[in-house]
Amino acid sequence: MGGPQGSPGPGTRLLLLFLLLLLSPAQVLPQQCVWYGECGVASGDKRYNCAYDGPPIALPKGGYDLMQELCPGLFFGNVSTCCDILQLQTLKNNLQLPLQFLSRCPSCFYNLINLFCELTCSPNQSEFLNVTSTIPYYDPVSKENKSSITELQYFIGERFANEMYNACKDVEAPSSNVKALGLLCGKDVKDCNATNWIEYMFNKDNGQTPFSIIPIFSDAPVHGMNPMNNATKGCNESVDDSTGPCSCQDCSIVCGPKPQPPPLPAPWLLFGLDAVYIIMWISYMGFLLIFFALVFGVWCYRRRHFVSEYTPIDSNVAFSANSHRDNGKITCGERLGERFENGLRMTFTSWGAFCVRNPRPVILFSVVFIAMCCSGFVYIKATTNPVDLWSAPSSQARKEKEYFDKHFGPFFRTEQLIIQAPNSHPDIYSPYPSGADVPFGPPLNKDILHQVLDLQDAIVNIAASFDNETVTLKDICLAPLAPYNNNCTILSVLNYFQNSHSVLDHSVGDDFFVYADYHTHFLYCVRAPASLNDTSLLHDPCLGAFGGPVFPWLVLGGYDGDNYNNATALVITLPVNNYYNDSKKIMKALAWEKEFINFLKNYDNPNLTISFSAERSIEDEINRESRSDVSTVVISYVVMFVYISIALGHIQSWGRLLVDSKISLGIAGILIVLSSVACSIGIFSYFGVPVTLIVAEVIPFLVLAIGVDNLFIIVQTLQRDERLEGETLDKQIGRVLGDVAPSMFLSSFSETVAFFLGTLSTMPAVRTFSLFAGMAVLIDFILQVTCFVSLLGLDIRRQERNRLDILCCIKGSEEMRGVQRSESILFLFFKNLYSPYLLKDWMRPIVIALFVGLLSFSTAVIHNVEIGLDQSLSMPDDSYVMNYFKQLGKYMHAGPPVYFVLEEGHNYTSLEGQNMVCGGTGCNNDSLVQQVFNAAEISSYTRIGYAPSSWIDDYFDWVKPQSSCCRVYNTTGQFCNASVTDPSCTRCRPLSQEGKQRPQGEDFMTFLPMFLSDNPNPKCGKGGHAAYSSAVDLIKNKTDVGATYFMTYHTVLKKSSDYIDAMKKARDIADNITETMGIKEKNYRVFPYSVFYVFYEQYLTIVNDAIFNLCISLGSIFLVTAVLLGFEVWAAVVVTVTIAMIIVNMFGVMWLWGISLNAVSLVNLVMSCGIAVEFCSHVTRAFTVSTKGSRVERAEEALSHMGSSVFSGITLTKFGGIVVLAFSKSQIFKIFYFRMYLAMVLLGATHGLIFLPVLLSYIGPSVNKAKTRAAQERSRGTERERLLYF
């Protein structure tokens, strides 16, 4: 009988079973662990894991929070894992260092934590972990025998490893200005890759891993193991809905292509040469062609129409007073000019006569006036502060410096040593157990390092005395962690060893091998200067004893690329506190610096070569230089004084040598010149205007040039004059003064106006010089036409009475009746030889061609004159600072620090405000930090050397709830440092989705002061006290953020042009940040600040300043000359053009002689305008008042009568004094005074005494008929009619 109805038969059952087998997996692997729990101490506080090959165990609920925090991917079901709560806590502790540096890029940290979570807790451990070594362990708690794992293999997918590395390779460490992997890879960033990074993290020698974990990379199964190859997140992907991708700064693929510097402007070339050279050459050739064609044409015309070939070219239009012809009607302008000229003549004639008749009252009044002015010396103030000398209070850099000093404190004072080891040799280090040999430079020999440490300790112990107090380095140094850590900041390679001989000697090894020593520690620290554990067997910290990192590019020199071990020099920098408006504290620093300098000058160690400088060094050396050059300047002036005293007299015979000499008059004239300088200083001292070094050195030279010229003109004109019949001495001197004083007044008043207008300059040095020079020239003229005229009258009376010069009570032996008219040899030379020869028809075209050629050359090279002032030029040749500058340029690898300052007013508590500034995830791609980072990517163009340190990004990392950094006591709410072990310390923010977001509003300000007071420690390297305590200005009782800065470094800057370009580029970057932040219309902005900006800002505008000052000077000279020449506009044009040619040619000399354009040379250029007036105005005025028949004759007469006075008064006087300056020890004197003064005098003399007379002979103004008739009337019936020239 069959079975029950509906029950399946045996065949059906077999079929169902077969189908079930087909639908089931081929192999079902149960979840299995390789470890569980901890057992046995590996080393220190590090423990082994217990071997366990059973199934995953359900995690106690007490570990749920940790699992959710660390490994949310494993938090499902009953949370069965291969780790217990202790292992989770160990994992959290071990992840603190990577968390602080990598969590700013969420996807990077997500991948990294995935790697460790799978290793520690994955329920499928047995698939990719293979235990290869264990040791027995007896558990005293459970009283069981267990096994401790001492080595295992971790099979990791190559894809996973590479993608994790790619997500992390760009992440920045903001406080260290380096890539985060440089701190976590055990190698330099450029040598780090996916495999050696993971190998390093799992190597027990790194100090973090308790036992060896051997990573094996493969995407395919190996030895029956399935590599862990979880899905990863790229740095441009979001981890979840609440976080964005990594920032541009931490992920290059978010940024797109690397920024490229703009192309350099193409040079302006013609035919492959500088276009300006070609244009000026063509212009000059064109001028010569046209000019010589005209000269030749006129010469041919003259040969056809005139008998004599020597007839002047313009004789057909000449007007001669002696011809007694009237060639036309006198114009209104000519009549006005004559009246003005006559008014000046009559005024000075009357005044001269008065001074000679009343010498005692005039001299007494002059002495009283001088005494009153000089009494201002009681209030004299001297400016030696370089900032005040070179930077105007209203300048941008000065305002920015004051803003920085006010909000962050002044930039610290710097004491620096550069040390070489000339007797040491390179050392070869062979790493244990394997690895390529590493060369170490001579100064990195351990014996040398010990000697340098002894030197460093001796410097720290230097004691100075100030105001009966002992001052040591600790009293004045920068100690960023004070009062918790009072160690001074010493940027030295020895601080990798905490300035300790014992740490330097620390090594680990046995009788056969050294496993780790100072070589190992050094190689790690130069890669990770902020590390608190070098992860070698030494486990020594790299962080300096002062609590901050020591960057290798600041303490090592002479290495190639990033091979710091090849260094050939050590650099030690001691930052000393500067003080804002606290002179007593600054004086303490100065006292210590003085002892520091003396100590190093006397330090003797044959194994060390030391170059050094202190903050006060440059100012000290400039003052020493000034004192040493006093003798040079005094000799220079003595040479000029002796020449003036002798040259003023005209000796008739040897018997009358002591009678006819004018030594006493010369000395009086010199004293008048110097008194005018003293009066100028005294007057402005009354008004609180400080004196500068330029005023003391330059103005006496200038006033001597101008004043002595006037003395020679007065005295030599009187010597050549013959007293008229019945004329008294006072009338004769008055008449002579009436003739020459208008010319003196013209030159002096032109210079005074030009100098006073020069005070419109924004450059303090130029403005101060112009102020004092203008007043000195004005007073000098007043004293010359008063006091000197009276003294001249007294001297002539002495001479007429046959009394000796100086010893006026003694009579001479050789009697002579009256003072005879005399003409000096120099006058006769100019009159009879030089003037006629120069103005010959064949000579004049040659002169014009040569001078226009010189002008063309100078114009062609003017744009090549360098701008700036090499600071080494301000030092004496024998200064120790010179050697320091030389070594600085040779060995330094980082430029000055630069701070990008965000002024008060920005809202940091809002998400929008944070995104404008920060550089981490979620921040704007054009934020402040990101733009500075981008600039550092093209450092060769921007001169920004490194990514900026960003306090706000480190703050966000510090405050994250996953980090152990931000904790508070749950009872008081006070900050609890990460190193404190106290159960009442809880994290600042909850480990929720909201808590993981950036703090905003009140939260931001609640925790920021804690961050800024937290000292870095092994459990939290992100504490902001050392790095950022001065970077954030907390205001309103720490409830708001005021001004802040983001610091980086310029690239190495060697020349003035480098400094100028660096400042310009930094300002461009800051302006662009201000614009992209959209704060341009608000009352705050971003600006860059570096300590050198205040000195170099002048060079950004110096070309415009030079053009402005020189044009103002030329314009004022033109106006004054036009008026005082009796409205002779064309004559004023000729004078101005000649002076302009002198100035342009000065630039040509500057290019030829390597003189750069700066405040000193600009002062000299302004001064050369004044001296050029002296060379040109007297000859031009003599030409305009001459009544000879033709321009050639008038030019010859003007040159004959004024040329000798100008030549002897300025050229010879100055030449003697200038030559002495060549022997100065000061490079500034040699370059900016000797070279420029020599060029000034030679160019002035050649233009005034060669070019100008020739130019006047061609295109000088025609004779003023009104002046001619007046001259006829004045001289009619006298001997002077024949001799008339004025």
Side-chain angles (χ1 to χ4, degrees), residues 1148-1189:
V1149 171
M1150 287 171 67
W1151 178 79
L1152 279 173
W1153 226 337
I1155 303 170
S1156 55
L1157 178 61
N1158 50 55
V1160 179
S1161 53
L1162 182 53
V1163 165
N1164 286 340
L1165 288 169
V1166 173
M1167 183 173 84
S1168 66
C1169 279
I1171 290 182
V1173 170
E1174 290 292 320
F1175 280 111
C1176 300
S1177 61
H1178 298 301
V1179 173
T1180 305
R1181 183 180 179 278
F1183 179 88
T1184 61
V1185 299
S1186 173
T1187 55
K1188 291 288 185 181

Side-chain angles (χ1 to χ4, degrees), residues 232 274 316 326 446 529 589 627 702 715 734 814 835 845 859 1008 1024 1070 1102 1115 1141 1212 1245 1260:
T232 58
D274 190 317
N316 58 321
D326 188 350
K446 190 199 281 189
R627 290 192 296 271
L702 167 72
V715 173
E814 187 175 323
S835 300
T859 307
L1008 181 60
I1102 195 164
M1141 287 178 66
L1212 294 180

